[in-house]
Amino acid sequence: MPNSRPISNADGVLAVYTSGLAYPVFGELITACWSDGELIWSGDSVFGGSPYFRAKTDPETVVGVLSRLEHDGLFDSLHDANGCGFGCPQTNILIRFRGRVFHTMSDHEQSELDGRLVAEHTMLTPLLDRKRYPVIAEQPSAYLFSRFLWVELRGLIPGLLPPTGDPTEGELRFEKWNRFEWMSEAAEP
């Protein structure tokens, strides 16, 4: 019997996932850390997808991270200065806690991997004879802050995950672009 775990409308979650801009919406889970201590993560921390692993941690560990983000003002008037080019694969960070939501997305994480492109504040551009860091340094401060925030949020995840987990099967299932869940084919322990 299928087992679903909400992400987009979870009460407390830090999730990272990929998505495309096509319909029907598709994507891969990278990491989901729920406030009850349940963790699911992909063996591929950039693109997501199988193999997936599952573990349980002390719920206070996850709640502590979410509380710190709340205390630091993550949910207070921050808007997403990152963007994605049309049709580009994107990585999303979704954080929900105590009825508040923060969501950001970017195409820089996947698109800059091979060193040929750089995500500027308006679009992806070829590097050609330019170097990535100087191009990023020339971007507006709001965009630089969004990249800083991205690194901070992504940097929290390794501290939540154990070194190993139990293999698990499942998929990120989208009902709509903004409504999705983790769906496993078998009931999890």
Side-chain angles (χ1 to χ4, degrees):
M1 177 169 172
N3 180 33
S4 70
R5 186 75 203 250
I7 296 175
S8 61
N9 62 346
D11 188 36
V13 69
L14 187 160
V16 182
Y17 59 97
T18 65
S19 63
L21 298 175
Y23 188 82
V25 179
F26 63 92
E28 298 287 352
L29 184 67
I30 295 173
T31 307
C33 305
W34 285 274
S35 59
D36 67 355
E38 186 170 0
L39 311 170
I40 297 176
W41 70 96
S42 169
D44 185 333
S45 64
V46 175
F47 295 99
S50 199
Y52 287 110
F53 302 92
R54 167 179 243 113
K56 193 86 166 153
T57 191
D58 180 2
E60 287 304 311
T61 303
V62 179
V63 170
V65 167
L66 296 172
S67 294
R68 178 61 191 257
L69 293 172
E70 180 181 50
H71 178 266
D72 286 349
L74 182 70
F75 303 106
D76 298 339
S77 303
L78 288 178
H79 65 281
D80 176 25
N82 266 349
C84 297
F86 181 73
C88 295
Q90 59 197 20
T91 304
N92 299 262
I93 299 174
L94 173 68
I95 301 169
R96 295 181 56 92
F97 187 57
R98 296 182 181 151
R100 302 178 83 187
V101 179
F102 176 81
H103 176 251
T104 187
M105 65 179 81
S106 183
D107 53 13
H108 80 273
E109 195 167 290
Q110 294 181 40
S111 300
E112 291 180 352
L113 274 179
D114 69 5
R116 294 181 301 159
L117 298 173
V118 62
E120 296 189 56
H121 75 286
T122 56
M123 69 182 83
L124 288 172
T125 58
L127 279 169
L128 303 173
D129 60 349
R130 302 177 303 161
K131 299 209 181 292
R132 188 169 73 93
Y133 292 142
V135 171
I136 293 170
E138 295 171 2
Q139 302 307 303
S141 61
Y143 181 73
L144 294 175
F145 176 74
S146 71
R147 291 204 47 161
F148 160 78
L149 186 58
W150 189 273
V151 171
E152 282 243 327
L153 295 174
R154 285 292 257 148
L156 294 172
I157 293 165
L160 292 170
L161 301 178
T164 61
D166 297 323
T168 190
E169 297 289 328
E171 65 180 352
L172 195 59
R173 188 163 299 164
F174 288 84
E175 184 179 318
K176 298 180 181 178
W177 72 271
N178 63 347
R179 234 177 119 72
F180 52 95
E181 63 191 359
W182 171 258
M183 181 69 74
S184 61
E185 293 305 321
E188 298 291 341

